[in-house]
């Protein structure tokens, strides 16, 4: 009974951190929703604007260049204005993008609004993991950090589900009129506006990062936040943070430089970011409906398949949350890489050996179609419990206090550039080389990711942020 008040205080602290982490992770929800909503609209957009695969690829992927811009600028913005104000800015960008993307006059102003939303994604993708890492106790940081990925995959799922429901209501096609005489694909983008407004409201309610507050001389505010986060040993924690900030004062991209361009830990972060995209995961989320239509499924069934994929992604992220602080980051990454290599290799084999239809596309049927569906969802499963959440957790925690904002900005920026390269190249690559060779490329990078983790990634489970080199 003597320990009951202490246990109650610790439980209250955990609930508090969970709530504010979940509020911050709403940026991840919008990140997932905004990037995946294009999935259901991409074919209709191509038809509406009468553009070929190159402009279709650009309409999907130039938003990712906006994400790179937002991510690369996040380090300066978060160091200057904190973690919360950039979240508000991201919410404004998401809202503007959702409205504008539904009102395009040409493919070019559509791309502009997608670029604006991309900048919001970039800001949220870099700042949210840093904020959650800085607000969380070390023994639970992996689980709370995984909320970012859970929010992302939930956003992806909700986007896919809403796309499917809207197409179902419209009568089977995103090109058909829905409400108020507007085509269904426009409503897909307008559906983003309510959660964007909710994200802005949530950002107004959460406290600033204690590490940012201490770094800007606002120790009283930091003490108030830390007392609710830790429950005890608050003054010792403040002194520990002050010591690291004093030793490592100042943060810019110049601080990331090392003997070979960057310091080794920065290269590891960049490698994780790039490989997370080069395994091709976002091809499934951006072009999934197009992919399944190209191998013989109807538009409605293709969208339903993407919904199932979204559910698989959520379930596997919950697996990661359950195990990331138990087994560690590195084992999950290795297991995920091995699984992705096998499933991507199987998909490459099936697509390469499928008979072709009159248009020259592989036409899967019977057991081959079933096997491809199972392999694709197992691939998402393997990514979902490993490279999806774990990379974001590592990027939020693997850098020291001085360089965290700048290093995370650089890593997130590299991730979005890599995402752009994969997404922009997919339609043209499929047209030039075929689905089989395209998926062989992604399988190759899955093998590279295994070797990269094996030899270069260090375990960070249970370490305080102040212990990072």
């Amino acid at each position: 009974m003597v320990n009951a008040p202490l246990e109650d205080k610790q439980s209250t602290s955990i609930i508090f951190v969970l709530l504010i982490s979940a509020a911050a992770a709403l940026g991840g929800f919008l990140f997932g929703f905004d990037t995946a909503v294009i999935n259901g609209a991409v074919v209709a957009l191509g038809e509406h604007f009468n553009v070929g695969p190159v402009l279709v690829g650009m309409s999907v992927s130039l938003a990712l260049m906006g994400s790179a811009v937002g991510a690369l600028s996040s380090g300066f913005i978060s160091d200057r204005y904190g973690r919360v104000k950039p979240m508000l800015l991201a919410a404004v960008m998401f809202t503007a993008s959702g409205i504008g993307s539904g009102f395009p006059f040409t493919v070019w102003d559509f791309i502009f609004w997608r670029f604006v939303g991309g900048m919001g994604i970039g800001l949220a993708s870099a700042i949210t993991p840093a904020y959650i890492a800085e607000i969380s106790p070390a023994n639970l940081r992996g689980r709370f950090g995984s909320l970012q990925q859970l929010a992302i995959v939930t956003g992806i799922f909700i986007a896919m589900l809403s796309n499917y429901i809207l197409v179902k209501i419209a009568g089977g096609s995103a090109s058909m009129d829905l409400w108020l005489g507007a085509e269904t694909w426009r409503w897909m983008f307008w559906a983003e506006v309510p959660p964007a407004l909710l994200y802005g409201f949530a950002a107004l309610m959460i406290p600033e990062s204690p590490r940012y507050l201490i770094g800007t001389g606002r120790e009283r505010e930091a003490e108030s936040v830390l007392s609710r986060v830790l429950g005890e040993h608050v003054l010792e924690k403040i002194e520990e943070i002050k010591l690291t900030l004093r030793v490592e004062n100042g943060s810019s991209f110049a601080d990331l430089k090392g003997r070979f361009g960057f310091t080794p830990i920065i290269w590891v972060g960049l490698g994780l970011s790039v490989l997370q995209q080069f395994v091709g995961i976002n091809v499934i989320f951006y072009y999934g409906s197009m992919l399944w239509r190209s191998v013989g499924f109807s538009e409605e069934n293709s969208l339903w398949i993407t919904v199932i994929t979204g559910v698989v992604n959520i379930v596997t992220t919950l697996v990661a949350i359950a195990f990331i602080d138990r087994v560690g980051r590195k084992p999950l990454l290795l297991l995920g890489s091995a699984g992705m290599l096998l499933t991507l290799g199987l998909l490459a084999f099936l697509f390469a050996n499928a008979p072709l239809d009159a248009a020259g596309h592989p036409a899967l049927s019977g057991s081959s179609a079933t096997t491809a569906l199972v392999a694709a969802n197992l691939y998402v499963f393997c990514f979902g419990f490993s490279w999806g959440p774990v990379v974001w957790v590592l990027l939020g925690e693997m850098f020291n206090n001085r360089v965290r904002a700048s290093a995370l900005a650089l890593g997130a920026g590299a991730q979005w550039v890599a995402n752009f390269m994969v997404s922009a190249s997919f339609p043209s690559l499929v047209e030039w080389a075929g689905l089989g060779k395209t998926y062989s490329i992604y399988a190759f990078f899955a093998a590279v990711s295994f070797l990269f983790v094996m030899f270069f990634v260090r375990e960070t489970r249970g370490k305080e942020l102040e212990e990072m080199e």
Side-chain angles (χ1 to χ4, degrees):
M1 292 299 292
V2 176
N3 293 327
L6 178 59
E7 291 176 359
D8 291 343
K9 195 170 184 179
Q10 289 174 338
S11 297
T12 302
S13 297
I14 291 171
I15 293 172
F16 174 71
V17 176
L18 176 62
L19 290 174
I20 60 178
S21 296
L26 280 172
F29 175 90
L30 284 159
F31 163 179
F33 190 102
D34 192 87
T35 54
V37 71
I38 192 72
N39 191 321
V42 65
V43 175
L45 281 166
E47 295 172 351
H48 180 79
F49 293 118
N50 193 27
V51 294
V54 174
L55 273 180
V56 168
M58 288 179 64
S59 68
V60 173
S61 57
L62 279 179
L64 305 175
M65 294 310 293
S67 300
V69 172
L72 289 169
S73 63
S74 66
F76 167 78
I77 293 173
S78 62
D79 276 341
R80 188 178 181 89
Y81 299 106
R83 313 311 192 222
V84 173
K85 288 181 180 178
M87 294 183 195
L88 290 169
L89 178 59
V92 171
M93 290 177 173
F94 283 129
T95 303
S97 175
I99 295 172
S101 296
F103 284 111
F105 298 100
T106 69
V107 69
W108 298 108
D109 57 288
F110 174 79
I111 289 172
F112 168 78
W113 288 116
R114 295 293 295 158
F115 188 88
V116 171
M119 289 193 293
I121 292 172
L123 275 175
S125 68
I127 288 169
T128 300
Y131 177 84
I132 294 176
E134 292 176 349
I135 209 79
S136 304
N139 64 318
L140 295 172
R141 194 174 58 239
R143 295 182 187 181
F144 288 144
S146 297
L147 289 175
Q148 161 84 341
Q149 181 66 13
L150 179 61
I152 292 170
V153 299
T154 302
I156 290 171
F157 167 71
I158 294 298
M160 291 175 171
L161 181 62
S162 67
N163 285 350
Y164 173 77
I165 291 173
L166 290 172
V167 167
K168 187 80 172 176
I169 293 172
S173 173
S175 299
M176 299 177 70
D177 288 349
L178 189 56
W179 300 302
L180 304 178
E183 298 99 316
T184 303
W185 63 264
R186 298 180 189 273
W187 288 98
M188 291 178 177
F189 295 107
W190 292 335
E192 182 179 0
V193 175
L197 295 174
L198 178 61
Y199 178 46
F201 178 76
L204 289 171
M205 305 298 292
I206 62 177
E208 185 54 82
S209 161
R211 286 170 176 81
Y212 171 77
L213 292 172
I214 293 170
T216 53
R218 296 152 65 182
E219 289 185 27
R220 287 287 183 89
E221 293 177 59
E223 183 178 344
S224 175
V225 176
L226 284 171
S227 65
R228 300 191 68 183
V229 170
L230 300 176
E232 57 181 354
H233 307 303
V234 172
L235 295 180
E236 293 93 326
K237 190 64 178 178
I238 289 175
E239 290 303 316
E240 188 178 350
I241 294 171
K242 285 170 64 177
L243 178 61
T244 59
L245 291 173
R246 191 180 303 122
V247 172
E248 306 161 345
N249 189 35
S251 176
S252 69
F253 285 126
D255 296 311
L256 310 182
K257 292 181 179 179
R259 184 178 177 184
F260 299 104
F262 297 110
T263 59
I265 192 65
I266 302 302
W267 281 117
V268 172
L270 289 172
L272 287 169
S273 295
V274 170
L275 287 170
Q276 189 200 50
Q277 298 304 314
F278 277 9
V279 296
I281 188 63
N282 281 313
V283 165
I284 296 289
F285 296 125
Y286 299 162
Y287 296 105
S289 62
M290 177 188 285
L291 168 66
W292 296 119
R293 285 179 70 178
S294 73
V295 294
F297 291 90
S298 68
E299 180 176 355
E300 187 175 318
N301 286 338
S302 296
L303 288 172
W304 180 242
I305 291 169
T306 65
V307 172
I308 295 172
T309 302
V311 173
V312 171
N313 210 9
I314 292 174
V315 171
T316 52
T317 303
L318 293 173
V319 172
I321 291 174
F323 287 98
I324 192 168
D325 284 321
R326 296 182 183 180
V327 303
R329 286 62 164 151
K330 190 167 181 174
L332 288 179
L333 288 176
L334 290 171
L335 187 59
S337 292
M340 288 190 294
L341 174 60
L342 292 174
T343 50
L344 285 169
L346 179 56
L347 283 170
F349 174 81
L350 290 170
F351 289 139
N353 290 278
L356 302 180
D357 61 16
H361 299 137
L364 297 176
S365 60
S367 61
S368 294
T370 303
T371 303
L373 284 175
V374 172
N377 282 288
L378 283 175
Y379 161 59
V380 172
F381 177 88
C382 293
F383 180 88
F385 73 74
S386 60
W387 282 80
V390 175
V391 169
W392 287 113
V393 170
L394 282 171
L395 290 178
E397 69 184 7
M398 67 190 291
F399 308 113
N400 62 48
N401 282 337
R402 176 173 63 91
V403 304
R404 181 173 300 111
S406 296
L408 224 168
L410 185 65
Q415 186 175 129
W416 289 114
V417 171
N419 194 336
F420 168 78
M421 293 170 64
V422 172
S423 302
S425 64
F426 179 74
S428 300
L429 194 59
V430 170
E431 190 170 284
W432 171 68
L435 279 171
K437 290 181 180 178
T438 300
Y439 272 81
S440 294
I441 294 172
Y442 304 146
F444 168 77
F445 282 108
V448 172
S449 72
F450 182 92
L451 296 175
F452 182 83
V453 173
M454 176 68 74
F455 293 107
F456 297 111
V457 175
R458 295 181 181 179
E459 183 59 65
T460 56
R461 178 170 64 106
K463 290 185 177 181
E464 293 287 348
L465 295 183
E466 286 65 43
E467 296 179 55
M468 303 301 174
E469 298 177 2

